[in-house]
Amino acid sequence: MSATASSVRFIADLHLDPGRPAANRAFLALLAEQPTPTALYILGDLFETWIGDDDDQPLGEQVAAGLRDLAGRGCALYFIHGNRDFLLGEDFARRSHLRLLPEHTVIDLHGTPTLIMHGDTLCTDDVAYQTLRRQIRAPDWQATVLAQPLAARRQLAASLRSESERALRDKPEAITDVNPDTVHDIMQQHGVRQLIHGHTHRPGCHDLLVKDQPARRLVLGAWYHGGSVLSCDTRGCRLLQRPAPAP
């Protein structure tokens, strides 16, 4: 993948996990690529599950080391929590040289004000998920979970993942996509005409109108079969699909 000295990359929904070595290798290969981008924004679900910064599985440190190396080459690293890694905290961010951002953040992307987010808050038709989201994002709930032993947290993460997979199978596809009115309202609220997000696993570029002005929504894909990367420079943005690495 080509890049320029002023390129900015966006990724989301990597769902890194010890049981998915191909995705792990693909991500680490992305971090090692030259030339180094100016910035990398990770818009949530970097990990399939994250049970706390004290998790002792090797994958976390491998990812942190790769991010540190990229930061050492001059790339600014940013992270927005997803629905799978919402417990990722300041300790892992420090070890990885990541800057944690609010869930809705506006950046200046080569002169264009751009709203970036994970994207789950746009799926307002999925009422059951939004109810669960409010529960697991509550500080008291998170503090209670993080106080439990690692083994108990692993069991909870496995249970939540299994329930999520079951719920997705039972829901119509339209419910798990963004609500167009919610997209319009949040872009109008933040005064932007460009939005970048993940979560839905439906990569693409969508044209729309915000206050009767042309706007667009750029959606990142998941890393189940190769890698989805949005690369932006002064010439514009390109959504690229990286091939899956050889076993």
Side-chain angles (χ1 to χ4, degrees), residues 189-246:
Q189 174 188 340
H190 289 278
V192 301
R193 297 211 299 267
Q194 182 162 271
L195 166 64
I196 301 173
H197 71 85
H199 180 67
T200 63
H201 300 181
R202 297 175 172 97
C205 178
H206 305 271
D207 295 322
L208 63 150
L209 295 175
V210 175
K211 299 185 73 173
D212 297 324
Q213 296 297 313
R216 67 175 180 170
R217 178 171 65 93
L218 300 168
V219 188
L220 301 164
W223 283 54
Y224 290 126
H225 306 287
S228 178
V229 179
L230 180 68
S231 181
C232 300
D233 56 30
T234 54
R235 298 168 294 179
C237 293
R238 302 172 303 286
L239 187 59
L240 308 173
Q241 182 66 26
R242 298 165 57 89

